[in-house]
Amino acid sequence: MSTQYNQVQAPYDELRKTTIAIVERVNIREIVLPLIHDASVLELACGSGHYSRSFLQWGAEKVVAVDVSSVMLQEARTLSGNDDRIQFTEADCSKPMVFEGGPFDLVFGAWFLNYAATGKDMVDMYRNIALNLKDGGRFVAVTPPPTDDPASFVEEERNIRPLPIASGGLFGSINEKVEEGVYYHCHSNTPAGDLDFDCYHLQKSAWEIAAREGGLHGELKWSTTRVPEDFMENPGKYGEERNGGAGIEELETYKVLPHYGLLEIVK
């Protein structure tokens, strides 16, 4: 996996304060709450540890958090203080390896699988997940929205959520089309500086085939962005202290075109 996040840690963390990032966490909380009480969790591509800390708040017993970026991990350790329930590890999450503390009840990856250039590359990521997940355990991921036409999706998102608002300030453009989807660039102007990174949006079928080949053979389920009707007025109802300040115009677009997918797979 790329270490491009060594250069963009502060702007990326700023992006996590936007409404759509907070709504993403609300959606993940809803999925994992029935699973996480006293659970062991492995987070792949943990970044600055936002979800790692949330998992403990939501009831996890311990979290092993892994990322390839040393800069992200240093910030994660700082923000997590001396909480010995989180173990941070620097490693390439795209390569199968056994992590200490496993096998885990839950493996989680937010914006992780979209760094696979092909379905074949994604198989190794899934193998890493399966290798560290208990039988009957669950993998939960945040991904680009599931679609058979990623190129059309990127263009639709550019049109429905143009600059300067975009999707919480994040604006995508296609670098090139690849066999199973697109290689695209993301840009955002944040108070902490410009954020720029590149990743892939592959066809829905590529994700699903790779999961099976990688060792996850149980129930597979997709969902997408869900903004609760009363979220902006009452974020505390959903476990959040703030709503991110998005306008109604932006929020209405997510009902028409989601910003992310939510993937759940049982081993």
Side-chain angles (χ1 to χ4, degrees), residues 154-155 158 171-176 183-187 198:
V154 173
E155 292 304 323
R158 287 168 60 87
F171 193 66
S173 57
I174 296 174
N175 290 327
E176 62 176 322
Y183 178 51
Y184 69 109
H185 180 78
C186 294
H187 173 78
D198 299 288

Side-chain angles (χ1 to χ4, degrees), residues 41-47 49-53 55 63-67 88 93 104 106-110:
V41 180
L42 172 65
E43 183 180 6
L44 300 174
C46 68
H50 297 286
Y51 276 113
S52 299
R53 293 185 293 277
F55 292 145
V63 178
V64 174
V66 186
D67 203 278
F88 291 105
C93 301
F104 297 87
L106 173 70
V107 176
F108 176 78

Side-chain angles (χ1 to χ4, degrees), residues 145-158:
T147 176
D148 294 324
D149 191 352
S152 293
F153 171 81
V154 173
E155 292 304 323
E156 286 178 43
E157 187 166 39
R158 287 168 60 87

